[in-house]
Amino acid sequence: MLALAGGALSGAALAAEPPTILVVGDSLSAEYGIARGNGWVALLEKKLAAEKIAAKVINASISGDTTAGGRSRLPALLKTHQPGVVVIELGSNDALRGLSLDATQANLTAMTEAAQKAGARVLLVGMQMPPNYGADYGKRFFELYPQVAKAHNAALVPFFLKGVADRANALELFQPDRIHPTAAAHPIILGNMWPEIQKLLKSK
């Protein structure tokens, strides 16, 4: 009886553990070029605390990462952290390098399926490319994210940099390389991400 009671208590304790949000991204989520603690993922942790939402955040973002890199890293991350929510913010480096869009879509699909198979809810984070990459390539790249999200019933943020890259004075919110947002842009980015993350946490 004692052993059974102990097992029941152990199970209850596990059930009460806060969910883990795993962010798998590139430099846009890895605080490239800004002081630590000012990126949207760090701001997400503060937001969760302010909202009194018990959730852990693991930022597994690596500057320069591609969807292929994320795909290869994901199985170990899922096993280690057992997340309840997986945020996939990858693809920009694929496009910047002119990689195959079919391969990018296949990688995003594989990551989504792997996370869902592990019991996590998935949030795909869409991006847009500058016009100089060609209208057709840019359109196809932008459409990858909603296609994968719809096919796998995943959540979607259509454009990660909405309110940052598409504003009239956009350069004010970018570092000199014109690619990476400044610290001032990250609260706006969190504003794009938060509604979808909040929904996924509530759907647990």
Side-chain angles (χ1 to χ4, degrees):
M1 287 295 291
L2 286 174
L4 287 172
L9 286 172
S10 189
L14 285 172
E17 285 185 3
T20 295
I21 302 168
L22 174 66
V23 180
V24 186
D26 51 35
S27 57
L28 297 173
S29 296
E31 297 187 323
Y32 178 91
I34 61 175
R36 299 288 77 85
N38 287 288
W40 79 266
V41 182
L43 297 178
L44 170 62
E45 290 185 90
K46 295 174 185 174
K47 177 73 171 174
L48 289 166
E51 297 283 338
K52 295 182 170 39
I53 297 173
K56 242 182 350 180
V57 181
I58 302 293
N59 192 354
S61 302
I62 297 177
S63 292
D65 205 7
T66 60
T67 56
R71 180 177 181 176
S72 68
R73 293 193 294 121
L74 187 60
L77 291 169
L78 292 172
K79 185 177 180 181
T80 299
H81 301 293
Q82 299 181 10
V85 174
V86 174
V87 179
I88 302 173
E89 181 277 298
L90 288 169
S92 295
N93 289 311
D94 296 41
L96 290 172
R97 298 174 191 181
L99 301 181
S100 161
L101 293 178
D102 288 340
T104 297
Q105 184 162 2
N107 290 332
L108 291 172
T109 296
M111 291 181 74
T112 300
E113 291 175 344
Q116 290 178 333
K117 187 176 180 181
R121 293 166 300 287
V122 175
L123 173 58
L124 285 168
V125 184
M127 283 295 296
Q128 292 182 10
M129 297 310 296
N132 56 302
Y133 281 78
D136 182 61
Y137 187 92
K139 181 174 182 290
R140 288 177 58 212
F141 176 76
F142 180 65
E143 289 174 349
L144 286 181
Y145 297 91
Q147 287 171 2
V148 174
K150 183 177 180 180
H152 294 83
N153 197 28
L156 174 71
V157 169
F159 184 28
F160 182 68
L161 295 176
K162 181 176 174 60
V164 177
D166 55 359
R167 59 193 289 166
N169 55 343
L171 290 182
E172 293 178 4
L173 291 176
F174 281 87
Q175 298 175 42
D177 62 10
R178 299 188 177 192
I179 294 174
H180 297 96
T182 63
H186 281 265
I188 301 171
I189 293 169
L190 177 61
N192 296 332
M193 303 291 292
W194 174 246
E196 295 303 325
I197 291 174
Q198 188 178 31
K199 285 178 199 171
L200 291 178
L201 289 172
K202 286 182 177 178
S203 69
K204 182 175 168 53

